[in-house]
Amino acid sequence: MNKKKETVILGFALFAMFFGAGNLIFPPSLGIAMGKDWFWAGIGFLLTGVGLPLLGVLAFTKVGRLEDFSIKVSPRFNTLYCTILVLVIGPLFAIPRTGSTTFEMGILPSFPNTDPFLLSIISSIIFFGITFLVVIRESKLTDIIGKFITPVLLLTLAAIAFFGITGNIGTAVDKQVTGVFAQGFVNGYQTMDALASVLFGVIIVTGLEGKGITKEKEQRYFLAGSAFIAALGLGLIYFCLMFLGSKVSGAGTFETTSAALYLAEVTLGSIGKIAFGICVATACFTTAVGLVAISADWFARFTPISYNMWAFIISVFSGVLALGGVDTIIKFSIPVLCILYPVTIILILLNIFGVKNTLVFKVATYTTLVTIIIEVGAQTLGLTGISELLKKIPLADVGFVWIIPCIAGMIIAYFISQINNSTKQKIEK
């Protein structure tokens, strides 16, 4: 086996898994919002949008199966956590967003004089109808689309980057934003790639085992090399789009999908804008097919309902939610992601470092979960007294209220477990 060749192939596979429409619409929006401060926001975005997803994949050289990802907390917690994970990257947010993005970027610009709501209904029915048919028939249509659309989309992005960087499309303005890094870090949640990496990790490790690569050291070699390739590709795209977004930050305010379309239009013209939108919409389709299949498979495991019926239910449910539009979906997803992401970060790190102490595992997870629920709940309900109290915790003012409680909980749990083990040994003697 040619290890370098296999690593490169795996690297492109990882890139293709993570690369979707969500990865294109959020970086330019962040650049526009940050203006001159786009760089430090970009660093925060890269940590959650690139670094964390790749660590999530690497974690599965330690875990192996999705069913074991958080099993050290408790079997019930693991089932609940994985189910919520599938719901978030499935029918609640990620799948409907593919349909909304398809309409807003691929359909609406081509039919500007048509009733938007009626057009969105027709678009949703067609999009999710075809998605359902492809999922249940295991068609190779998505593979064919992926082979042709992804290269075209990358070439289009390269053209946008070239003309945007070399051309005079605008100048970054000072938006006087506070907490730039933290905002970039939290914005990276919206890609949902770290959540998806928990599922992708199973696929990648299973693929390596199918090739006879079963030792953890060998798996880490392949994954580390391929992770670098995927991270480099994603990082370059993100930084280019954020930089270009900052250059047009003085052009006004944009809806989430409008930012990317505006960049396409000012660099490639109206035809380029439509072509870019169609490419993104087609990429959304391949993402939707994969996510519907993953979600249907998960729920079919625990219920008497068949895989095909779950695929139908998820497609219809997602189609209805897609009518709300991308910005509405993002609005409702923010509180959920702000709770789910810190817990996922902790679980990934605990697995990466091979923590075997179950008490430390439980305390770290629950402390993070409780702290972040209190913070998000206080912000959502407008409980300013609790919010102000939480800000006294170190790092809370920059958006990381959960870090210090988690570390403190882990230290206390470690010493308690050591004392318990020592006491147990004395009793046995």
Side-chain angles (χ1 to χ4, degrees):
M1 176 186 293
N2 188 323
K3 287 188 175 182
K4 290 184 178 180
K5 182 180 178 181
E6 288 294 326
T7 301
V8 171
I9 292 172
L10 187 57
F12 282 118
L14 266 178
F15 175 83
M17 283 183 178
F18 288 120
F19 185 70
N23 307 81
L24 296 175
I25 63 178
F26 294 110
S29 296
L30 182 63
I32 290 171
M34 297 295 107
K36 287 185 176 180
D37 296 318
W38 71 273
F39 180 81
W40 290 112
I43 296 297
F45 188 92
L46 287 186
L47 287 177
T48 47
V50 178
L52 193 59
L54 299 175
L55 284 178
V57 173
L58 287 171
F60 276 84
T61 58
K62 298 278 188 178
V63 180
R65 302 187 312 152
L66 180 61
E67 290 82 355
D68 296 332
F69 186 64
S70 55
I71 196 71
K72 290 176 185 174
V73 180
S74 77
R76 185 175 295 178
F77 177 89
N78 188 72
T79 301
L80 180 61
Y81 168 81
C82 291
T83 301
I84 293 173
L85 197 69
V86 171
L87 283 170
V88 169
I89 68 166
L92 284 184
F93 302 123
I95 297 175
R97 195 173 71 187
T98 62
S100 297
T101 303
T102 295
F103 168 68
E104 293 181 20
M105 298 188 72
I107 307 299
L108 190 58
S110 302
F111 301 92
N113 299 320
T114 308
D115 178 20
F117 185 67
L118 177 61
L119 192 60
S120 69
I121 294 175
I122 296 171
S123 170
S124 189
I125 292 172
I126 294 174
F127 181 88
F128 286 104
I130 297 174
T131 297
F132 169 69
L133 292 175
V134 171
V135 168
I136 63 171
R137 293 182 180 179
E138 299 182 350
S139 171
K140 294 184 178 180
L141 178 61
T142 52
D143 292 334
I144 295 170
I145 289 173
K147 288 177 181 178
F148 289 99
I149 293 299
T150 301
V152 172
L153 185 55
L154 290 175
L155 287 173
T156 306
L157 283 173
I160 291 173
F162 176 78
F163 290 113
I165 293 171
T166 59
N168 184 23
I169 64 172
T171 305
V173 297
D174 188 358
K175 294 294 186 79
Q176 297 182 339
V177 182
T178 57
V180 173
F181 176 83
Q183 287 201 45
F185 191 90
V186 174
N187 262 270
Y189 293 175
Q190 285 294 342
T191 65
M192 300 190 199
D193 281 347
L195 306 183
S197 72
V198 176
L199 303 177
F200 292 160
V202 180
I203 298 170
I204 294 294
V205 172
T206 301
L208 288 174
E209 289 175 348
K211 294 179 180 180
I213 304 169
T214 56
K215 294 182 179 179
E216 182 184 317
K217 186 177 180 181
E218 288 183 318
Q219 289 180 350
R220 290 184 72 84
Y221 169 84
F222 283 103
L223 285 175
S226 60
F228 175 78
I229 294 171
L232 184 62
L234 290 171
L236 285 172
I237 291 172
Y238 289 160
F239 253 56
C240 280
L241 290 175
M242 279 185 275
F243 172 66
L244 295 178
S246 72
K247 290 187 73 173
V248 299
S249 56
T253 57
F254 299 89
E255 292 184 352
T256 307
T257 53
S258 299
L261 285 176
Y262 179 75
L263 285 178
E265 186 172 21
V266 296
T267 53
L268 304 179
S270 57
I271 295 178
K273 171 186 173 182
I274 293 173
F276 176 70
I278 293 172
C279 286
V280 171
T282 314
C284 282
F285 172 72
T286 58
T287 301
V289 169
L291 293 179
V292 169
I294 289 172
S295 302
D297 178 69
W298 176 259
F299 291 115
R301 296 184 193 181
F302 304 102
T303 65
I305 300 173
S306 68
Y307 169 86
N308 285 357
M309 181 54 69
W310 270 118
F312 177 76
I313 293 170
I314 291 166
S315 297
V316 172
F317 184 79
S318 300
V320 173
L321 291 188
L323 299 176
V326 173
D327 286 326
T328 301
I329 294 170
I330 291 171
K331 178 183 176 182
F332 283 104
S333 69
I334 288 174
V336 178
L337 293 176
C338 284
I339 293 173
L340 194 56
Y341 250 85
V343 175
T344 302
I345 291 171
I346 292 302
L347 289 172
I348 287 174
L349 292 177
L350 289 172
N351 282 307
I352 282 282
F353 289 106
V355 175
K356 297 180 180 180
N357 189 313
T358 55
L359 183 61
V360 171
F361 221 97
K362 289 179 180 180
V363 171
T365 304
Y366 283 127
T367 302
T368 301
L369 180 61
V370 171
T371 305
I372 202 67
I373 286 177
I374 293 172
E375 182 192 39
V376 172
Q379 291 175 350
T380 304
L381 299 174
L383 304 176
T384 54
I386 295 177
S387 295
E388 290 300 319
L389 184 64
L390 289 174
K391 285 182 180 179
K392 295 181 180 180
I393 298 175
L395 301 179
D397 57 339
V398 291
F400 304 110
V401 67
W402 49 275
I403 291 180
I404 297 301
C406 175
I407 294 173
M410 289 175 67
I411 293 172
I412 294 170
Y414 174 77
F415 281 111
I416 289 175
S417 63
Q418 291 296 105
I419 292 170
N420 288 341
N421 288 337
S422 178
T423 303
K424 185 178 178 180
Q425 288 176 0
K426 288 180 180 179
I427 293 173
E428 290 175 351
K429 288 180 180 180

